Amino acid sequence: MFGFLKRNQSSAKGYKISNVGRTKKYGIVVSSLRDLLKKASAKFQIEDCKCFLAQDGTLVEDEEYFKSLPAQTLFVIAGKHDNVKTDFELLFEAIRSRNSALLGAGEIVRKFISENKESLLESLKQLEEKECKETELSLRQEHKEWFSGQDSRFSSKEEVMAKRAQDRVRGYFYKTKDEITKSKIYRENITARMKLNEILGVFQYFLIGCDHFSCLFDRKYPRKHEIVEEDAPDGGIPKKRMRMIKELFEEEEFFKDLCVSLCNSHGDFRCQGLWSETTCKYSNHLINPYSSRENFILFQVWNLDHQIELSRSVIPSLLKTVEQMSEENNLQCQVHRCRATNIDIIAYFLELFTTDNLKLVHIVCHDKGLHSLRSKGRILCAKCHELATLDAIMDKIQETSDEKR
């Protein structure tokens, strides 16, 4: 139903590569992920090496996703059996390994504080006042230190944070697309391949309509997630068509409910806890990346965690459902017991890209073990309201597109 237009080839950019132990680091200039892996393999003498983001451990396999990353991104190059750890995890282990020395220094610190209590309290008060003032600043010229290393086209903190949210959601799309196109059913079943391409096209249009959920980290976005406590009252598609889709989706109540911010108007984020818990059990899992450059950098290790796992549940379920639809003619909807006519694309979209399934969590609350939740995606019949919703949205997109021609 929908095709993809290839992106223009990007020019070469400079990146940094390091080994798993971070004992060696090199700067390289490449124009593709393939070139990067080739150079990295030669530098570190690793055959069939893999590439990970140092900041959060994301495996980079997709060329489109690679090209979306900024220059000077640091990658960790690893072999098949290497255990890759993020920069934060390495720092945490380094501190823990020196625990005895830190404990020994505790008494010295306690004595110093007791002898300088008044001056320390005054210093802390001044620091707190400074941080509160800097937190409320938004523009580049107001808080230049915060914007150090950021692209010059961003003039406000909100723009930077919105782009960070988009990058994470785009990463989920590229990962989904990569796993689908590498699957056996995609490569060997023509009917299934056509259906999967159609689904990826719908996902892409939905994401464009929602601006790739740039709202998630934007403190000025008016609609807030229900967890937020307020202290006070792409992909080759032409820009003209992208604007049209966004305008259309702004009128859809279904998508309005999905587009929410995860922070309050000051920029305070609160951990939502383990995937299996309703709340976070740690009272100190709070952060405001708008307040300082240090907090902004630290926020990179906070994760958007899939409660129903992307690679272990959602994508396998999607592939299996498409395979059944392509090979069996008499499948029935489990709800109405009528002949199946389509796949619940909206359910899969919600599980892959939205806060229906994503929780913002502190690194301590990011459980990488097997989750017990399973995808709710299924096949639909003509009586299913989900199918009517999908058809209505896609019809509007098509009608609006025809009118703009």
Side-chain angles (χ1 to χ4, degrees), residues 117-133:
K117 184 176 180 180
E118 294 301 323
S119 59
L120 281 172
L121 287 174
E122 181 60 30
S123 297
L124 288 172
K125 181 181 178 181
Q126 292 176 3
L127 285 172
E128 184 177 358
E129 290 175 350
K130 179 184 177 183
E131 183 174 312
C132 289
K133 181 180 179 181

Side-chain angles (χ1 to χ4, degrees), residues 156-210:
S156 71
K157 295 178 181 179
E158 291 75 21
E159 289 177 357
V160 175
M161 294 298 292
K163 179 62 166 56
R164 287 302 173 96
Q166 288 179 322
D167 287 345
R168 295 202 190 188
V169 174
R170 281 195 178 97
Y172 299 142
F173 175 76
Y174 292 134
K175 183 175 178 62
T176 299
K177 180 182 176 183
D178 188 57
E179 292 195 19
I180 285 175
T181 54
K182 286 182 177 180
S183 66
K184 182 178 179 180
I185 182 176
Y186 186 90
R187 290 183 283 106
E188 298 180 0
N189 187 319
I190 295 176
T191 304
R193 185 189 311 153
M194 292 175 62
K195 186 62 181 178
L196 287 166
N197 282 336
E198 175 189 325
I199 292 170
L200 287 170
V202 174
F203 285 167
Q204 191 175 37
Y205 275 99
F206 281 10
L207 288 172
I208 290 171
C210 297

Side-chain angles (χ1 to χ4, degrees), residues 363-378:
I363 190 171
V364 172
C365 291
H366 186 203
D367 182 3
K368 296 182 180 180
L370 180 65
H371 297 189
S372 60
L373 299 177
R374 294 292 173 262
S375 173
K376 299 175 183 176
R378 61 186 182 89

Side-chain angles (χ1 to χ4, degrees), residues 218-245:
D218 183 356
R219 64 181 175 181
K220 291 187 177 180
Y221 196 77
R223 288 191 295 274
K224 303 294 183 181
H225 191 281
E226 59 185 9
I227 66 161
V228 174
E229 297 178 2
E230 285 286 8
D231 296 327
D234 171 86
I237 294 176
K239 290 184 178 179
K240 183 178 180 180
R241 196 171 191 191
M242 289 175 67
R243 287 196 299 271
M244 174 271 295
I245 296 171

Side-chain angles (χ1 to χ4, degrees), residues 244 248 395-405:
M244 174 271 295
L248 173 64
D395 286 344
K396 285 184 179 180
I397 291 176
Q398 191 62 50
E399 290 171 7
T400 310
S401 179
D402 292 340
E403 291 173 3
K404 295 287 183 178
R405 288 176 184 173

Side-chain angles (χ1 to χ4, degrees), residues 241-255:
R241 196 171 191 191
M242 289 175 67
R243 287 196 299 271
M244 174 271 295
I245 296 171
K246 290 177 183 177
E247 290 171 1
L248 173 64
F249 276 51
E250 286 175 358
E251 301 172 2
E252 286 289 336
E253 290 299 325
F254 174 76
F255 290 98

